[in-house]
Amino acid sequence: MSANNPIPGIDAGDDNRGAPVIVIGGGVTGLSTAFWLAEAGVDVLVLERGITGWEASGRNGGGCSHHHSPLFAEEQRLWPMMDELLGYPTEFRPNRIRIALSPEQFALYGRAVANARKQGFRADDLDAQTVRELVPLAGDNVHAGHYYHFGGHANPHRTVQAYAWALRDRGGRLRQHVTVTGFRRQGDRVTAVETDKGVFGCDHLVIAAGPQTGRLAAMLQVDIPMRAARAEMIVTEPLPLMPLGGIDGNGLYGRQTLRGNLAYGGGPHEWVETEEQPGGPRPSTPLAGSIARRVAELLPKAAHARVIRSWAGIIENTPDGRPVIDRPAPWQNLTVATLSGVGFGLSPASGRALMQLVMRGHCDFADLSSLRLARFDRLEPDWDALQGWLPAAMASA
Amino acid sequence: MTTDPRSVAGKRLEIAERTQILIVGAGPAGIAAARHAHRGGAQVLLVDEHPVPFETMGESVPQIWGGRMGGAVRNRNAMTERMLEARPDLVELFEAGIDIRLGTACWGLFANQPNLGWMPGLVAGLVDEGQGSHLVGFDQAIVASGRRDMGLAFPGWDLPGVLGAGAALMLARLYDALDSRRAVMLGSTPEALLAALDLIDAGVTIAAVVEQAATPAAPEDLVARIRAAGVEIVTGEAPRGVTSDADGVTGLVLRNRTIPCDSVLLGVGAVPMIDLLHAAGARCAFDNDRGGFVPLLGTGGETSLPGIRAAGDCAGIWPAKTADPALAEAEGRLAAGAALAALGLADAPAENAPQPGPAADLGEYRKAWVRASVVEAVAEMPVCQCEEVTAREILEVSPPRYLNAPHLPNLTRSLTQILGEGPPDPDQIKRLTRAGMGPCQGRRCREQIQALLALQEDLSLGVVPLAGYRSPVRPISLAAAAMPEDPAIAAAWDSWFGMPRQWVPFWDVEEHYTVAALATEKEHVSE
Ligand SMILES: Cc1cc2nc3c(=O)[nH]c(=O)nc-3n(C[C@H](O)[C@H](O)[C@H](O)COP(=O)(O)OP(=O)(O)OC[C@H]3O[C@@H](n4cnc5c(N)ncnc54)[C@H](O)[C@@H]3O)c2cc1C
């Protein structure tokens, strides 16, 4: 069956033309998947409820160093070539210095180093003096640091749009302001996607809808345990560029942007009710003050820099905080992806893995067994309450 | 009941003080609200950011000061005294025992709403240059933050001497520190002409009023008053540039002539200052008769956030309200009355808020100005001054110049082709071009970009969404933004979620995940 053949009840207008592969979600995961599919010559359509990258994909720290993930090696291989591959700038910059202000922080940050070294990546220990030489805004409070010769950071906005533009350049389509509301199926196949703008036929469906992935999959009787949380970041006015922008530590993630702003996050998150549809308020809170305090500790010579904005994003989380990238039974033509809070940096690799899952049923460059849905087969039904992951209102009810 | 130790659950906000009614802004609406609330028996805290620190003024916050604040504004004590002279009502409120804090900005209001549940009631963030930031708990807030001027680009508008019409009036009246003798007014709206008349009163010569349209926008009686004051009204013209020297503007260049002046006043749009309300999550919508985006309000000035109200210019600007402070005062009293009622201190007020009459098409007027001044400019200039982004770069959605990216093939594409369907969203433009991302927090470019996008796609102005505001709505240094903190926050601080298994290397992951298995501790709880 081809999606371009009319399906009963489907509006055959050109705008509402289905596609061999439909991807739900115009965040980094969905767009990277669609990009890789288009690159492989597949006719792909992305359906997005709002605008490109409006959710977590446009609100994150831009970090690309996921040493714990089976996709780490591919993440590291791909980032340096993404600008060229996509044809648009992502502002990717390699490497990172992680600053520890105490021996405890140094020990904690050493674990990432151990993981990376084990996979053949280089990291150097830095003494306080060297940190200060490499990081002009650092101060006398430095204990020590690590120099990662891997990882790095990119600009989330530019990256997510680069995927979208690269997709378009390869003939793929992205429809914005289209909300998926349901599915049509025939036996063990999903045949079409129902939306507020009509029905779109598909041969294969990818659900990459961030926090809504679980809710959408549940409509197909696939249970992906998930909970959503809000996290916040702040950004300062631009400061003179440091030699390396990838500077973090002291309990913060973030970077100096190529424009010079300091953009950092960290600290407590809040468990929230998963929205029926995304697009509600994304309030930030006075936690900005706690983040500001720690940025000023991390980079004391920037203490005068003015905070000009804060923001918040809603993060998709599975019970163990690890992605689900899988083709769930019993469906013959369904792929699901939720990245569980590490999706930005992994996106070049997750998209490529998902492309392979769609086209061949397996990934040939990474062992994705730890990302299978089946790992939750024995999960306690009240896992979220047991982990304290219920929103405040529900917890007290 | 288990709580996630790294979440906000069980963590306190350090609330330094409490008040029953917080009033933000000590203009006519805020003063009237404070007086009424105090008389009604409520505990009132009235804050006003003026005098604004000199450094902040230099960033065009909260007004487009255009470098025309005289040296006197550096002396904060003198400015505070000056403010009290200019607003004798404030002295009376001080004497009545109301807690009034001048030079104190409110940078955020926080209320529980979808996706936020841990606020211990309503909370405001205040900052004062000397004392840094702290939090105030309140039962009711009345935001009376006033208005600001719409920015309008033309070649040279980034030089000292190009300032907002309202900003000029504020410098003249409130600070007695307007560094300008001879000004040209751009725009002939009632707001612009009333500002011109007040400035003439304050001793400033208005060399001319320049209007791009064929006829003035204000009604005839106002136009007659301007003419009677000896001011020339030049129609069918928009600025082509300025002449300047080391001190900034020396003249405004029109098609065939240059008008000597030391300042150019932006009077094409008076904009309700909704930053605080929008950032707090109050629903806002474009209202042609109220000067643009305004909060949606109920009869007691209540926003969509229970307990947070708006009064005065931030609730809407129209000619009668500009001409007569009594309207803003009435709104202030009404909001205070409703706040008292909500506190159980009074019956709900019976009167109705003043309403605007139907106004001329504000969207068409602002678009026409942006077309005449920005789109038809004879040279390229930044529309976003902080990030130096031109109109062309905005409409082509170009990456910032520092990337040295090859020119994107966007020139030949419509915004819909570039950004996807739906009205072009200024926030998406901001993310991609950086227009609106700088330290002035989009105060100088927001309305222009809205008009540019509407012009480009041939949309009515109100269809283009508002570029969002985020706290802190005033720039605050990292050092000053750090506030007292519950030790529980520091004790559980983690760079990310601190999940027991999130960072375990993949080769070490168990086949099945259960909560019970977490009893076996592994490393990698945090990262
Ligand atoms: C503050 C913060 C900091 C972060 N820092 C980092 C970091 O440094 N490094 C890192 O790797 N990750 C980081 N993350 C996490 C990362 O941003 C996310 O993991 C990633 O963006 C997830 O991308 P996604 O495409 O899977 O989901 P999303 O970005 O959530 O996109 C899902 C899309 O699906 C759409 N959608 C949902 N339901 C429907 C429907 N019914 N119909 C149509 N469309 C729908 C949504 O509108 C949305 O655009 C951070 C996140 C936040 C919030």
Side-chain angles (χ1 to χ4, degrees):
Chain A
M1 184 194 82
S2 158
N4 290 320
N5 291 335
I7 300 182
I10 295 184
D11 171 356
D14 195 49
D15 254 11
N16 276 12
R17 188 160 47 93
V21 180
I22 287 184
V23 177
I24 306 174
V28 273
T29 307
L31 286 170
S32 175
T33 305
F35 157 74
W36 283 106
L37 284 163
E39 175 84 358
V42 176
D43 178 11
V44 56
L45 167 66
V46 180
L47 300 178
E48 164 54 47
R49 189 214 63 89
I51 59 175
T52 310
W54 184 247
E55 298 299 340
S57 296
R59 297 165 186 264
N60 60 74
C64 315
S65 330
H66 298 103
H67 50 82
H68 66 293
S69 171
L71 292 167
F72 178 57
E74 185 70 356
E75 173 191 52
Q76 298 307 307
R77 185 182 78 84
L78 286 174
W79 268 114
M81 44 177 108
M82 288 315 284
D83 281 22
E84 208 173 323
L85 212 53
L86 298 171
Y88 299 93
T90 63
E91 292 193 25
F92 173 74
R93 288 295 179 276
N95 303 343
R96 178 167 293 278
I97 293 175
R98 200 127 207 238
I99 301 176
L101 300 184
S102 66
E104 293 73 30
Q105 287 183 353
F106 191 66
L108 186 63
Y109 300 160
R111 293 180 195 157
V113 171
N115 283 352
R117 283 183 182 147
K118 189 154 173 176
Q119 296 172 79
F121 291 90
R122 180 178 156 203
D124 300 333
D125 295 355
L126 305 176
D127 61 23
Q129 185 53 34
T130 313
V131 169
R132 279 190 289 270
E133 280 162 22
L134 295 172
V135 184
L137 295 174
D140 294 337
N141 56 350
V142 174
H143 169 71
H146 293 290
Y147 194 110
Y148 297 0
H149 295 268
F150 58 87
H153 55 88
N155 178 319
H157 304 146
R158 241 171 272 301
T159 302
V160 72
Q161 191 65 57
Y163 285 127
W165 283 339
L167 167 68
R168 174 198 63 191
D169 293 347
R170 284 156 185 75
R173 283 175 295 149
L174 163 61
R175 295 270 327 257
Q176 300 186 143
H177 308 292
V178 176
T179 303
V180 174
T181 53
F183 303 103
R184 295 195 182 168
R185 55 196 98 183
Q186 222 158 53
D188 52 11
R189 300 185 66 83
V190 184
T191 55
V193 176
E194 297 171 347
T195 78
D196 62 342
K197 303 266 161 66
V199 180
F200 297 83
C202 63
D203 293 335
H204 195 107
L205 175 67
V206 180
I207 304 179
Q212 277 70 34
T213 302
R215 211 180 65 79
L216 288 168
M219 294 182 188
L220 294 167
Q221 288 73 51
V222 173
D223 178 24
I224 308 179
M226 289 179 71
R227 277 284 172 186
R230 189 194 73 252
E232 304 174 33
M233 293 188 70
I234 64 170
V235 65
T236 70
E237 64 189 321
L239 296 173
L241 286 183
M242 297 188 281
L244 185 71
I247 305 294
D248 65 11
N250 192 35
L252 300 167
Y253 61 87
R255 69 195 199 281
Q256 181 177 40
T257 69
L258 287 189
R259 171 73 171 94
N261 316 75
L262 305 176
Y264 287 95
H269 49 273
E270 179 172 348
W271 296 103
V272 298
E273 215 47 77
T274 304
E275 295 167 323
E276 278 281 300
Q277 302 295 348
R282 301 284 177 260
S284 40
T285 74
L287 276 176
S290 294
I291 300 173
R293 166 193 302 280
R294 285 163 181 78
V295 178
E297 287 166 4
L298 178 73
L299 302 170
K301 291 181 181 144
H304 66 283
R306 281 168 297 185
V307 181
I308 55 175
R309 204 161 46 247
S310 67
W311 67 86
I314 304 292
I315 296 155
E316 72 292 355
N317 289 287
T318 64
D320 58 0
R322 311 178 73 91
V324 170
I325 295 183
D326 206 350
R327 288 194 49 169
W331 301 101
Q332 293 304 306
N333 63 344
L334 175 67
T335 302
V336 294
T338 176
L339 268 289
S340 200
V342 293
F344 176 74
L346 288 177
S347 62
S350 64
R352 183 155 175 260
L354 283 155
M355 174 271 282
Q356 294 197 346
L357 238 54
V358 170
M359 294 181 69
R360 311 181 192 150
H362 69 276
C363 169
D364 67 10
F365 59 84
D367 171 9
L368 300 186
S369 55
S370 61
L371 308 183
R372 274 198 308 248
L373 196 47
R375 71 181 187 273
F376 298 125
D377 283 351
R378 300 181 193 164
L379 186 69
E380 296 86 343
D382 57 345
W383 65 274
D384 42 10
L386 292 173
Q387 297 195 150
W389 285 21
L390 295 180
M394 269 186 74
S396 55
Chain B
M1 181 55 228
T2 321
T3 53
D4 168 2
R6 311 278 186 186
S7 75
V8 294
K11 311 216 166 39
R12 254 181 315 113
L13 276 184
E14 291 291 342
I15 309 286
E17 54 179 334
R18 287 204 53 84
T19 188
Q20 282 184 304
I21 302 185
L22 170 70
I23 299 171
V24 181
I31 288 177
R35 186 187 293 118
H36 194 74
H38 177 72
R39 283 192 190 145
Q43 180 201 4
V44 173
L45 172 58
L46 171 62
V47 301
D48 193 293
E49 64 187 314
H50 296 289
V52 174
F54 185 74
E55 209 198 359
T56 307
M57 290 180 111
E59 297 285 6
S60 284
V61 177
Q63 305 285 341
I64 307 178
W65 305 109
R68 282 294 184 251
M69 41 307 176
V73 302
R74 288 174 189 271
N75 183 337
R76 308 230 328 137
N77 287 339
M79 284 303 111
T80 305
E81 276 171 33
R82 169 62 210 159
M83 258 184 90
L84 293 175
E85 277 168 38
R87 291 185 182 163
D89 288 9
L90 266 181
V91 179
E92 180 205 313
L93 295 191
F94 264 119
E95 282 162 2
I98 296 184
D99 187 351
I100 305 177
R101 316 234 183 116
L102 301 181
T104 300
C106 180
W107 52 266
L109 294 174
F110 303 97
N112 286 332
Q113 56 192 292
N115 293 315
L116 174 57
W118 80 292
M119 292 297 102
L122 296 166
V123 176
L126 301 184
V127 62
D128 156 308
E129 206 187 26
Q131 292 163 33
S133 296
H134 71 275
L135 298 178
V136 181
F138 60 89
D139 299 322
Q140 295 276 317
I142 299 169
V143 176
S145 47
R147 64 170 70 183
R148 59 180 177 78
D149 304 292
M150 169 174 164
L152 180 74
F154 49 85
W157 86 295
D158 45 353
L159 290 169
V162 180
L163 69 161
L169 200 53
M170 203 172 255
L171 285 175
R173 284 253 188 97
L174 193 59
Y175 285 77
D176 192 17
L178 173 63
D179 193 9
S180 167
R181 295 223 185 82
R182 193 178 155 82
V184 174
M185 178 70 71
L186 298 184
S188 61
T189 60
E191 284 73 28
L193 298 195
L194 287 165
L197 289 170
D198 283 342
L199 284 166
I200 292 169
D201 258 2
V204 180
T205 302
I206 301 295
V209 169
V210 174
E211 171 55 54
Q212 50 77 32
T215 53
E220 263 175 36
D221 55 327
L222 250 182
V223 174
R225 279 171 67 196
I226 282 285
R227 290 218 163 96
V231 178
E232 179 191 4
I233 301 185
V234 184
T235 55
E237 287 261 23
R240 299 292 83 173
V242 297
T243 55
S244 63
D245 64 15
D247 293 326
V249 170
T250 57
L252 178 70
V253 180
L254 299 179
R255 209 176 307 128
N256 297 315
R257 63 190 269 212
T258 295
I259 306 175
C261 61
D262 59 26
S263 65
V264 178
L265 308 180
L266 304 168
V268 302
V271 181
M273 184 122 69
I274 61 167
D275 45 7
L276 198 50
L277 293 163
H278 189 253
R283 267 208 292 286
C284 296
F286 190 86
D287 186 336
N288 183 70
D289 302 341
R290 287 180 176 261
F293 283 99
V294 284
L296 298 174
L297 298 180
T299 50
E302 65 270 25
T303 68
S304 62
L305 297 171
I308 299 183
R309 301 168 195 277
D313 283 347
C314 69
I317 298 171
W318 61 92
K321 203 169 173 184
T322 303
D324 183 1
L327 274 70
E329 286 164 3
E331 287 181 342
R333 272 196 311 277
L334 187 60
L340 288 169
L343 292 172
L345 294 172
D347 293 336
E351 63 268 41
N352 291 321
Q355 297 296 324
D361 194 329
L362 171 106
E364 287 310 309
Y365 183 74
R366 290 185 185 171
K367 274 162 50 181
W369 260 110
V370 167
R371 183 189 292 113
S373 182
V374 184
V375 178
E376 291 169 5
V378 294
E380 282 215 313
M381 70 280 162
V383 166
C384 167
Q385 289 190 29
C386 298
E387 299 290 328
E388 297 180 35
V389 190
T390 65
R392 190 171 56 87
E393 289 167 327
I394 288 169
L395 295 174
E396 288 180 31
V397 197
S398 304
R401 287 174 225 161
Y402 61 77
L403 280 179
N404 286 323
H407 204 74
L408 299 189
N410 278 345
L411 182 57
T412 53
R413 294 182 170 138
S414 72
L415 277 174
T416 307
Q417 283 170 314
I418 299 170
L419 298 178
E421 62 268 85
D425 189 319
D427 275 325
Q428 201 175 0
I429 294 284
K430 167 174 126 185
R431 289 159 160 224
L432 296 171
T433 67
R434 299 192 65 94
M437 243 188 195
C440 91
Q441 301 177 312
R443 287 183 169 81
R444 288 179 289 197
C445 64
R446 194 177 251 99
E447 292 75 28
Q448 294 185 71
I449 291 173
Q450 183 194 12
L452 265 176
L453 298 178
L455 280 169
Q456 182 79 359
E457 296 294 280
D458 200 15
L459 299 169
S460 82
L461 189 65
V463 170
V464 176
L466 172 71
Y469 292 94
R470 301 295 305 191
S471 64
V473 297
R474 298 291 179 274
I476 312 172
S477 74
L478 287 167
M483 290 181 288
E485 180 182 277
D486 179 0
I489 291 184
W493 189 277
D494 196 273
S495 60
W496 198 238
F497 280 60
M499 296 174 190
R501 295 291 188 268
Q502 185 157 40
W503 308 116
V504 173
F506 66 93
W507 56 85
D508 230 7
V509 171
E510 289 126 358
E511 196 186 339
H512 286 102
Y513 176 86
T514 58
V515 183
L518 298 180
T520 321
E521 265 187 53
K522 285 206 175 212
E523 276 194 343
H524 308 290
V525 171
S526 21
E527 202 268 344

